[in-house]
Every structure is written in structure tokens, then in C-alpha cells.
Amino acid sequence: MGIRALVLRTAGTNCDEETVYALRLADANPDSLHINQLRRDPAVLLDYRMLVIPGGFSYGDDISAGKVLALELELFLKNVLLEFLDRGGLILGICNGFQVLVKAGLLPAMSGYFTVEASLVENDSGLFVDRWVELEVCRRDLPWTHLLTADRLRMPVAHAEGKFVASENAIHQLSLSNQVVFRYAGGTNPNGSYQDIAGICDPSGQILGLMPHPERAVIGSQYPDWFGRVPYNRFMPPLDIFRSGVKWLEKS
Amino acid sequence: MRIRVHVIHRDPGSPASREIVSYLKGFGVEGIDSVRRVRLVFLEAGPSLEELEAFAEKVLLDPVVESVFIYPDDSPPVIEGSWVEIGYLPGVMDPEAITISRAFREFFRQDPVAVFTGVRYEFPPLDKGVLNAVLSQLYNPLIQIGVINDFLHPFHQRSPGYEFSLREVELLEKGDEELLQISKDWMLSLNLREMKAVQEHYRKLGRNPTDVELETIAQTWSEHCQHKTFKSPILYREVSEEGDVVTEERISSLFKDYIMKATKELDKPWCLSVFKDNAGVVEFDSDWAVCFKVETHNHPSALEPFGGANTGLGGVIRDVLGCGLGAKPIANTDVFCFAPPDTKEVPEGVIHPRRMMREVVAGVRDYGNKMGIPTVNGAIFFDPDFCANPLVYCGTVGLMPKGAVEKEIRPGDKIVLIGGRTGRDGIHGATFSSAELTEESQYSCASAVQIGNPIEEKKFADVLLKIRDKGWYRAITDCGAGGLSSAVGEMARDVGAVVYLEKVPLKYSGLSYTEIWISESQERMVLAVKPEYLEDVVSAFAEEDVLATCIGEFTGDRRLRLYYDGALVMEMDVDFLHGGLPLEEKLAVWTWVKKEEPVPDVEDPSKTFRQVLSSYNIASKEWVIRQYDHEVQGRSALKPLCGPRQVAPSDSAVIRGHLHSKKGIALGCGINPWYGRIDPYWMAGACIDEAIRQIVAVGGNPDRISILDNFCWGNPDKPDRLGGLVRASKGCYDFALGFGVPFISGKDSLYNEFLKGNESIPIPGTLLISGMGMIDDISKVVSPYLKRRDTLLYVVGLTRDELGGSAFLNLFGVLGNSVPRTDVSLARELYKRLHLAVREGIVLACHDISDGGIGVALAEMCIGGGIGAELFLNNVPFEGDRRSNEVVFYSESQSRFLVEIDRKHKGRFEKLFEGLPCELVGRTSEGKSFVVYGLEGEEYIVEDVKNLERVWRSRFRW
């Protein structure tokens, strides 16, 4: 019945349904679970092989985006997350999920998990922005990207705090260790991210986080200019991110 | 331990700081180059200073970009420069403090005593005058406290306890003047006739009302809840310019005679629930229904734009969550009317329109985005008379199974309150919105203003939609204006109820039983739960950290009884409450005035066109639209901005109901108060036409459109204002019937006047028509941007000499007289044929022609596709005496489209429109030029598309 994927929900999560939809299209077997269920019985996570933290405004993005959910992961789910990764599980964070992973120190995790080395801060414009961007795919050898064939991916961003920042040293290290997976391309950097960074992975490649929303770009009708160009129901390249994760786990 | 925490962004050039600098410059506060923004957190808690420091370091800051400093509350830091600090007034919703409390609990496994947040701005040394100016632009004294070179001390805010004592209001022996004084003193907004009806009722009972009874009556009978103006009989007169009565008629009620009548006569089988629930419901497909509601939140937004718009959207979302057994919100709409942002002078006590617009947009953005509902359609209209009374319309569309459309209440059902805690927020909101604003409203109505907490609403919405189909509850409604009084009172109208007020969870102590009953605290809803499932319901909400509390039950004795700690504080007959309101006949007068309409001389047609294109009403609203998430949920199939470069403004938004089906929903809207200044009747025709036209333009089925009315008007007690309202209502009836589109829901917001000295300034009577259409086949949806070079352009529809109320005349400060008059039978035929063309798949692009005329429509199509075009005015189907380039080019005649067709479909397209006004008027070109040839064949306008795009897009680049 497909790879079991856990889509983690909490107060303010709001992209869970379309994430579940995209996972189904990719032949995964997703369940949407509230964090309270997981906190009560963390071992439930080990029934799954894929963890997806979807977009939204967890706890209103108060204090800073993703911060409080990141705190909960660290305080209550640290051990089970490490165990999950140890068993080869894959983690994907989209938009708010990416913010959570970065603020929990699960990304970029260059010097180990749960060490904060980067952040996603207020867009240069100071405003929330919803627009479609182009992404250059920098890594095609990862669990989450090995099926990607398109040169460029198009998908929307929708965030107020998506500017990727880190110390100069950390940014340098990130490039050296080849952990940048997606960069904004074609002048579409919507937030002022350092070096156009849109998505990164951890050193193992098991964890991927990105600000743009692949789950909103999986079928034709979701595009701003599909009219007369692609059928409304055609599967689109960003779906391959989810498919990659599923295929990887099926093979391993 | 009481501490204050300063969280400082290490980069002083952060966007927030830059924004404040430019923001202040925009308001004429010069000489400030840098601002340091400091987030403040005030914490009172058990742990030691060291432990609290550890908490702050770990939780309260982003270590990569921020630094944190901690001070004991009684020794805050003194700095060299100047600073201001801003915090919330006691009792105002502070969502961030709630989140911090939660994080604190997670961290320490204990509750903090108190948490408050604030913000601090640090400047170079500045004099007090400048600081005052700065502060006044950064905060709103209705909800916040601001101090200059001083420190906030929120810990001193302690709410007092409450000692119960039953209050009665001495009413039985009072004379007329005293009754009116009571109405005024208690902010009841009841007139003498109504006060006397209350007195009469209590005389029969032989006792005085308690305060909570009186408040409940006032709230239930308020204009806001009863729509008295739309229900009252009216004596309507039309008067000639000379003052002679031309016609006179008696109207039994605007609602019955016009709005509802059209719906009844149309009797569409797909209308599932109209004008009875929180939203109107129509069929979507064989298993699903869609509901739509549009609300206004004008008065609160005038005083506190962020909070007003924020809670306005939050409220209409709850309407949809409370429609039937609860619908899933899948789209929001927003329509605003403001004064132009470059307004120089604003009256005392009025927020500048530029700040108004920024904050209203921020309020909608905050709530809509956080709820995960795409904001997909809207409009903004600018007119100087909206300065003191801006209009803020928010709408929500919901999807639900057909089985969840109906609700009922049975005796014995438990009354369960879900969501946020109850505070003193918004007390008297319902009666306040039925009163006119004055300069003093700023202070006297403070408690009517509040801000929302969307995450609270999102939390219970998630649970609600999860349990809806389990059959645990029989009814649900929103706790909106009027609070529990309104929600429980309405649900109990056929049965009766008993409520134990001390069971209501409070934010803080000190609320009286009356305050608990009428509080309008946001993010609450009321369910009628089957008794056997009470525990299931409470635990399902608890599972996701939502409070659900049983506060009473429905009875069957047709009485509304309230207890507080065992004492009976209200006992009221529901029939009197809901049926006792005396309605009196109102006088309405409409005066026929013929206005001048000179056609201005245009010396430089290109320049004039650029001016029209960049005028506030026409310029691209991209700055606003991009701040909303318009694609969350993944359903949007035609976004508000579409095309390869996402700049083309769509006529309607299209959203898919389910990603596995081909069916979709198209949302459009029509609004134009300038037409209403000439004649509200034709305004109604144009608004209904525009809402339908936008839906048909994208491929909506013209036979499956339903509409909503939202009237915003001045004081209906003044006959001239009411006269206009009657004209508009007549238009609503005629055109809804004519087009075959039923009204399914509506709302009015009256008394939009501002008293300045002796002068009462009304808003221009404004009707918003929101349309919802069905898309039968999503694969056939049409977008408005040009697709290819060397294709054909057609104008569908008839252009007439109708410049009245146009954007073109407005540029010259002229209103005009020749308001566009919708020819409904022609329009219906055109829409039918266009829909056939769409279904055949031969329409490459289609854009509706509206404000600004043909040229604006073509420019938007060119900009959207990045393609040039040629247009020949001489070919445009025209009717009228004054045939000039300007009249043809800028006329705003209704029922018209500009359509792009491939050459190979020329014959078929023309055949479809045989016998109707539809002409080939131009073609798309190889280059990027926008060329319009005048009636004599001369070059009338020659522009570069890029240049037009710059002009059109730069107006709101803030």
C-alpha cells in the first residue's frame, strides 16, 4: 500500500491537505497526524518512513516563523527523530516546515543535528509575497531529487519570512559540503536569500527543506499560465520531488 | 520574578526598520535615517533570573540574527537616544503572548504568571514634537498604549475581581425624554418607539428589566442584527428637479418586495438554502454544495483598520464554518473603498487613507493567510468621500456535503461554546455599528474595537471539519456581533434555552454577567450538541488544544433564562425578543436631477490614456494581491494575477471544488459608486452585469450564477439617503430577475456618515454585488491575457454614448449624467453565445470591458501576455449621437468583452454572434506596440506595451 508518510499537523498548519494529495499522486500512503498524538506516543513515528512538515503558520509564526514547533520537536521528539533518521527515514519540510527544520537545527546540520546554524528571516520587501519562481536544481543525486529531470522547476512561494541567512562561514561551508539543493533562478529570488538559496539538505541528504511549494505545482491547473499550454490534469515536474522520496524508500 | 526582555535585530537595516523610516517619510516625518526595532517581552514567572535567561536565549530569539537582553522590570535600560515603547491596552488580544505562554509551559512544565509583549523603537536623540508625530503614526490609542522616552509597566495591569449584584434598570415610570436618555446612556441605539415597546412589555410583566435583559433586547433589535431598514414599510416618492412629486408608492419592505422577491420568482432548484442561514447555499454537484457569504466591517475598520479588517474576515469565515453543520472555507474575497492615498487633509480623528489601506490589507492578509484560505478575488475603489468611512467587505466561500446543509435544534441539546476565552472585547459592537461615527467615537467606542487571533480559529476549524459528519451535533452558529446573546438567542428562537454564565471560560476576572453575555470576543462558536455525544465533542476539541465548554441547554419552553452562580438574571419570552420590535414606516425621497456632461477636450490622447491607466481605480493592485496567499489548498485554477509573467488581472477567480473532478467555481464582483451618484438603479444594473460578465468571461455557465448583495449606505432615517437605497433595490430586483440570477445572501451596513461640526458627510451609496458561478468543465477556463501574435480581436457587445460616472470623466473632475444602462435582454443573449464559444474551445483570451473602457481592457490583455495589438475604433459597434474617439474609447457601456480568436475560427465565431453586436476590431501584432486608430483612421494612441505596463503597475509600488 505504498510508503507510509506522516504529515505532521499542529495549530496553524494549513498546507497539510494538498501535501497529502501530492503524496498520494506520488503513490505514497500518507496520514495526517496532530503533534499532540505524536507527543503522547513518539514511537508512532517509527511506523512511518517519511515525515513531511507542511506549510502554514505554526503557532501563528509568533516569536519567529516555525520557532515554537521547532522547540517542541527538540524538547519532546528529539530521540525518536534521531532514531527515525538512523533507520533511513526521510524528512521533508516545505515553507513553514523548512523554517521549523532550520530553527530546530535539523538543517543544515553541518555540525550535527539540533544545532542552529542558519535562519529564515523577514523578506527584504518586508511583505508577505505569493508569486511563482524558477528554481535551479543543484543536486540530482539525493533521495528527494534523484528523479528530477527538468532543468528548471517552477513553483510558487508564499511567505513573509523566507530569506535564507547564515554566517559567512556557514554559507561557505554549505557550498563546500554541497548542501544547496535549489537556488532561485532567472532573477526570481523573492526574498533576498543569500546566494539565491531556496532549499537545502542535511549532510546525509535524508532531510530536505525548501521555501517554495512543490505540492502546489503538481498538476497543470495549478499553474498561472496553463491555459492552452498544458492539460489541466497533467502531472508536473515538482511532483518528482515526492516521487523521488517514495522511490528511494521503496528501493532501500 | 518580573523581567523585561529586549530582542534586538542585529542588522539595523532590517526590512522592518527600513519600512518605518520610509513610512515616516511618507507622512512627512523627516530627519530619521535609522530606527532600531526592539521586540519586548514582559514575563512574570516563578523560575529564577538565570532560568528565565536560559528560556529567553532558547525560545525568544532567533540566534542567527538577533540578540537578547534581560532586565529586571524595575531597572530598565536608559539609552543615549530617544525611544518610544508601544504595548497593548489591558484586555486587548495579544496572540504572541499566548504563544509565548505556551512555549513557557513546554519549557518549564509550569505556567507563567503573566506574559505581555510590546515593541520599542530607538532613534537618535529627537525632540519631543517629532517623537509625538512618530508615535502617532506607529500606534493606535484605542488598542495600544504608547510612551515616549519612558517604559511600559504592564504588570500593573490587573483586572479587578467581580462581585455579583443584580442590576435592574428603572424603566416603568419613565417619560419619553428619560427613555431616550436611558437608551443613550446604555449605548442601546434604540429609538423612542422601541424604548416604549420595551417599557410596555415590562409594564405588563409588572417589573423592571434587568440590565442584561435590556442589553439583549437592544442587541437583538439593532440595525446590525435586524436589518430594520430593509424590513420596514416605506413611503417612497420620486420628485422632479422643481420639487413636484412625480410618483408615490408604498413598499412593504425592501427585502420582501425586491431582494427576496427576485429569488422567489426565479425559484431555482439548485438554490439549497437562501436568506436563512449564516450564508447562502447552492448546489455544486450531485454530492456537494457551496455556500457564500460577504460581510462588511466598516465602522471597526474606520477606528482600527488592522483589527477591523482582521476580525471582519475572521467573522465571515465563521459564518461559513457555521453554515449548515459547517462548510470548509475554500476561498476568500475582499473589496475595499478608501479615499485616495494621496489625500492631503483628513478630518480630525480620521486615519489617513494611506495608512488605512496598508493596515486594512495587513489585517486581511494576517487572517486569511493564517487560516490557510486563499484570497482570490476583490476590488478596491477610491473616492474622497470614503475618507472618514472606509468600506471593508470580506467574503468567504465554503464547500460542504449536501447532507450538512440543514440544521435543527431540539429540546435537551447541549449548548457548547468552542474556541477562545471571553473577555471584555467588542462590547456594544452590534449597537455601535448601527450608530453614526463622530469625532468622539474614537474614545467612546474603544471597547467596540478589537483584534483577532486567527490561529485560535484555525484550531477549532480543523476539529470542527473533522467531526462534522459524525452526527454528534445538530446545529452550529457563529458567535459574532452580539456575542452569546445573539448566537444563543438566535438558536433558541423556536425552543428556548437556559445558560449558566459562570461556566463561560474567561480571559480574566472582573466581567459582570452582562458582559459575559454580550461580549464579542472573537474566535468563538456555539454548537447544539446531542446530549449523548457531549463527551465526544469536548474531547475531540481538547485533543487539539481547543476549549469546548457546555454552558447550558436548549429547553422547549420558549423562554431564554440566564443564571449567574445560581441567581436568575434574565428570563425572557423568545417571542417578544424576536417578534416584539415595532417597525415604523420610513419616508424615502428620490429627486431627479439632470447633471451636466461636457466631454473634455483631449490634447494628447496618449497622455490622457496613461493617466487613466495609472489612476487609482484602474492601476494594477498587484501590491495588495501578492500579499495574500491566493493558492493555498492547491485549488486555484485561475489566479487573480495570471499569465507567463503573472501580471494579467483575471476577471474572476476560478477554484476547483475537488482536484479529482472537472467542476469549479468562478467568483466575480461588481462595484461602482460613481454610477450610483448619478442613479443607484443603474448602478445596481451595472454591478449585477459586471459580476455576471466577469464569470462568463472566464467560462462560467450563465445559467448557474447566484449573487450576493451588500449595501453600504448613509443614514436611512434621512429621506434622500433612503430614496437612493430604494432606487438601488428596485434595480436589484429588475436585473436579478432579468438575468435569471437569484440573490442567495446579503447584508447591509447603514449609517455610514461622519458628523463633523454640523455637517453630516455620507458615503456615496455603494452596492457590492458578489457573484458565484459554476464552471462545468475546468479544462475550458479562459484567461484574459493575449496568447499569440497575429490573432484576431473582437469587441462583443454594444458601445453607447455612456461616459457618465466613467474613469475618464473623473480624470477631469466631471461626474456626468449618461450612466451606463444595462440592456438585459441583449446582455443575456451575448452571454449565452459567448459561453457557447468558450465551450467549443475557440476563445483564446477574453477580458471584460469595464472601468476605463475598451482601451484599458486591451492594455491589460497586452500587458498580461507581453504582446502588442492594433485596435480600430471605427469598427467598434456603436450607438449614439456623440460619436467621437473619446466617447467610443472611454465609454463604460455594460455587457461588453474583448475577445482573442485564432484566424482559423473567424467564421465560426462570427457565425455564433450573427445578428448581434460583435465586430472584428483589431489584431495582435508582431511587435510590442499598442496602437489605436481613431474614427478617421488616424493614429489615435501609439504606445509601447512596456511603457503602459510601467505606468499601470507603478501606482501602488510602495
Side-chain angles (χ1 to χ4, degrees), chain A residues 176-189:
Chain A
L176 281 185
S177 55
N178 209 8
Q179 284 177 247
V180 178
V181 183
F182 299 110
R183 288 185 203 270
Y184 299 110
T188 61
N189 184 339

Side-chain angles (χ1 to χ4, degrees), chain A residues 9 13-14 18 36 39-40 59 62-63 67 74 76 119 123-124 130 132 216 221-222 224 226, chain B residues 18 58 61-62 96 99 106 109 458 543-544 626 629-631 633-634 637 639 643 646 656:
Chain A
R9 274 197 319 116
T13 302
N14 65 30
E18 53 271 43
N36 286 353
R39 278 178 58 175
R40 217 172 22 238
Y59 305 105
D62 294 330
I63 304 172
K67 181 83 187 183
E74 184 174 351
F76 308 110
S119 189
N123 300 344
D124 272 354
D130 177 342
W132 281 64
R216 297 185 189 180
S221 70
Q222 293 171 326
W226 64 279
Chain B
R18 271 191 290 116
K58 180 75 192 166
L61 92 159
D62 182 334
E96 184 152 26
T99 302
E106 307 284 25
R109 315 248 165 173
K458 176 70 172 126
E543 173 65 32
E544 301 200 3
R626 292 238 176 272
D629 192 334
H630 40 258
E631 38 208 337
Q633 301 188 14
K639 300 170 201 303
Q646 313 159 57
R656 301 178 63 181

Side-chain angles (χ1 to χ4, degrees), chain B residues 187-314:
Chain B
M187 288 185 71
L188 302 176
S189 289
L190 293 177
N191 64 27
L192 184 60
R193 195 184 172 105
E194 292 156 352
M195 284 301 289
K196 287 177 101 152
V198 176
Q199 187 183 46
E200 185 58 35
H201 178 74
Y202 280 92
R203 276 184 179 156
K204 274 190 220 150
L205 294 179
R207 66 171 175 94
N208 278 308
T210 64
D211 58 345
V212 68
E213 288 174 330
L214 195 56
E215 295 267 16
T216 302
I217 294 167
Q219 181 273 314
T220 310
W221 291 6
S222 68
E223 180 67 50
H224 187 91
C225 297
Q226 280 290 337
H227 310 286
K228 288 184 270 200
T229 300
F230 273 77
K231 284 182 180 166
S232 294
I234 291 173
L235 175 61
Y236 172 68
R237 285 196 191 119
E238 290 185 8
V239 175
S240 71
E241 210 160 349
E242 293 74 34
D244 305 326
V245 176
V246 185
T247 59
E248 186 174 286
E249 66 176 304
R250 288 209 136 77
I251 297 162
S252 67
S253 97
L254 292 178
F255 181 68
K256 261 192 245 153
D257 287 11
Y258 301 119
I259 309 293
M260 190 60 193
K261 194 173 172 201
T263 302
K264 274 202 169 142
E265 288 178 11
L266 288 168
D267 194 25
K268 298 287 185 189
W270 41 266
C271 283
L272 302 180
S273 168
V274 292
F275 289 110
K276 60 177 194 189
D277 206 334
N278 292 333
V281 190
V282 298
E283 185 176 272
F284 178 65
D285 61 19
S286 52
D287 301 322
W288 293 83
V290 273
C291 64
F292 192 9
K293 172 67 171 282
V294 178
E295 266 283 10
T296 50
H297 225 213
N298 305 329
H299 292 68
S301 302
L303 298 174
E304 164 42 32
F306 178 90
N310 196 244
T311 54
L313 181 55

Side-chain angles (χ1 to χ4, degrees), chain B residues 566-852:
Chain B
L568 182 66
V569 296
M570 171 160 106
E571 175 158 21
M572 198 172 327
D573 178 354
V574 291
D575 296 309
F576 171 70
L577 185 60
H578 292 287
L581 169 68
L583 293 171
E584 58 192 318
E585 186 176 81
K586 289 174 173 252
L587 177 65
V589 177
W590 169 256
T591 307
W592 290 102
V593 180
K594 190 174 186 327
K595 298 178 177 70
E596 296 295 307
E597 185 174 303
V599 175
D601 280 337
V602 170
E603 283 174 17
D604 181 346
S606 289
K607 185 177 165 197
T608 299
F609 181 55
R610 288 193 306 267
Q611 286 172 330
V612 168
L613 208 53
S614 69
S615 61
Y616 282 115
N617 282 348
I618 298 206
S620 171
K621 307 299 183 299
E622 187 178 351
W623 181 84
V624 176
I625 297 168
R626 292 238 176 272
Q627 294 191 54
Y628 302 143
D629 192 334
H630 40 258
E631 38 208 337
V632 58
Q633 301 188 14
R635 299 167 198 268
S636 83
L638 178 58
K639 300 170 201 303
L641 293 171
C642 61
R645 294 181 310 120
Q646 313 159 57
V647 291
S650 302
D651 293 318
S652 295
V654 176
I655 39 175
R656 301 178 63 181
H658 303 282
L659 292 180
H660 55 75
S661 107
K662 284 184 123 180
K663 290 211 73 168
I665 297 156
L667 300 171
C669 65
I671 187 167
N672 194 323
W674 289 345
Y675 299 162
R677 279 222 172 93
I678 299 171
D679 187 345
Y681 178 84
W682 293 110
M683 168 174 75
C687 291
I688 292 173
D689 190 324
E690 185 175 17
I692 296 170
R693 191 165 77 234
Q694 290 179 345
I695 290 168
V696 173
V698 303
N701 179 346
D703 295 327
R704 273 302 313 274
I705 295 172
S706 44
I707 55 176
L708 284 69
D709 64 87
N710 282 86
F711 291 89
C712 289
W713 230 262
N715 181 349
D717 303 331
K718 298 178 181 171
D720 63 324
R721 274 55 154 182
L722 190 58
L725 193 59
V726 173
R727 283 292 292 164
S729 302
K730 284 173 178 282
C732 282
Y733 172 74
D734 287 352
F735 291 99
L737 200 65
F739 275 111
V741 294
F743 286 103
I744 58 167
S745 169
K747 205 71 194 270
D748 52 88
S749 160
L750 308 175
Y751 300 93
N752 289 289
E753 306 215 0
F754 184 76
L755 274 176
K756 192 162 184 295
N758 290 327
E759 200 191 354
S760 185
I761 311 163
I763 58 161
T766 304
L767 171 65
L768 168 68
I769 296 290
S770 304
M772 175 165 70
M774 294 300 144
I775 303 280
D776 301 324
D777 181 351
I778 203 84
S779 70
K780 299 279 170 61
V781 167
V782 175
S783 55
Y785 58 92
L786 295 177
K787 300 295 181 301
R788 291 205 280 275
R789 309 195 183 284
D790 198 30
T791 55
L792 305 179
L793 295 173
Y794 285 82
V795 163
V796 171
L798 189 58
T799 303
R800 294 197 200 85
D801 178 0
E802 293 179 326
L803 283 179
S806 65
F808 170 70
L809 286 187
N810 184 264
L811 200 62
F812 298 89
V814 176
L815 177 64
N817 194 58
S818 57
V819 63
R821 296 171 170 234
T822 300
D823 176 344
V824 72
S825 57
L826 172 63
R828 279 193 87 163
E829 198 53 40
L830 290 168
Y831 296 176
K832 201 168 107 189
R833 311 277 182 100
L834 182 67
H835 188 59
L836 283 175
V838 168
R839 285 170 57 159
E840 289 184 18
I842 60 172
V843 175
L844 286 174
C846 176
H847 197 19
D848 97 294
I849 299 172
S850 55
D851 303 11

Side-chain angles (χ1 to χ4, degrees), chain B residues 360-431:
Chain B
V360 163
V361 169
V364 168
R365 179 202 68 213
D366 181 70
Y367 221 106
N369 290 0
K370 286 183 176 171
M371 284 297 290
I373 305 167
T375 301
V376 295
N377 183 257
I380 308 181
F381 200 95
F382 295 93
D383 182 276
D385 285 351
F386 292 116
C387 194
N389 288 95
L391 304 184
V392 175
Y393 300 87
C394 298
T396 301
V397 176
L399 192 62
M400 63 174 125
K402 276 186 178 166
V405 172
E406 295 294 334
K407 56 175 58 153
E408 60 165 334
I409 306 277
R410 290 192 195 162
D413 286 351
K414 300 292 181 191
I415 302 172
V416 175
L417 177 63
I418 62 165
R421 290 172 175 271
T422 299
R424 227 171 244 119
D425 322 61
I427 283 178
H428 286 133
T431 47

Side-chain angles (χ1 to χ4, degrees), chain A residues 40-201:
Chain A
R40 217 172 22 238
D41 184 8
V44 166
L45 178 61
L46 303 176
D47 296 340
Y48 295 87
R49 304 192 59 201
M50 190 184 271
L51 168 66
V52 183
I53 309 180
F57 290 82
S58 53
Y59 305 105
D61 277 357
D62 294 330
I63 304 172
S64 80
K67 181 83 187 183
V68 177
L69 183 54
L71 183 73
E72 277 188 282
L73 293 188
E74 184 174 351
L75 290 179
F76 308 110
L77 299 168
K78 189 173 182 172
N79 291 336
V80 76
L81 282 167
L82 294 174
E83 169 81 26
F84 177 79
L85 287 167
D86 209 40
R87 295 183 181 194
L90 299 184
I91 300 179
L92 173 64
I94 302 167
C95 194
N96 194 234
F98 182 30
Q99 293 163 335
V100 170
L101 293 175
V102 168
K103 292 187 186 180
L106 283 161
L107 282 175
M110 292 179 289
S111 44
Y113 294 129
F114 294 105
T115 307
V116 177
E117 295 164 318
S119 189
L120 290 151
V121 301
E122 195 179 8
N123 300 344
D124 272 354
S125 65
L127 299 173
F128 183 98
V129 61
D130 177 342
R131 70 159 66 241
W132 281 64
V133 296
E134 274 181 39
L135 296 181
E136 176 196 346
V137 184
C138 311
R139 294 279 303 267
R140 293 172 194 275
D141 57 334
L142 298 169
W144 287 108
T145 60
H146 65 101
L147 294 181
L148 288 176
T149 50
D151 281 348
R152 296 265 172 106
L153 293 176
R154 292 173 69 208
M155 48 182 105
V157 295
H159 59 246
E161 297 174 47
K163 178 180 179 177
F164 185 87
V165 296
S167 69
E168 223 169 282
N169 186 38
I171 291 277
H172 184 64
Q173 282 297 320
L174 205 57
S175 293
L176 281 185
S177 55
N178 209 8
Q179 284 177 247
V180 178
V181 183
F182 299 110
R183 288 185 203 270
Y184 299 110
T188 61
N189 184 339
N191 50 35
S193 279
Y194 288 3
Q195 298 192 0
D196 295 326
I197 292 172
I200 59 171
C201 62

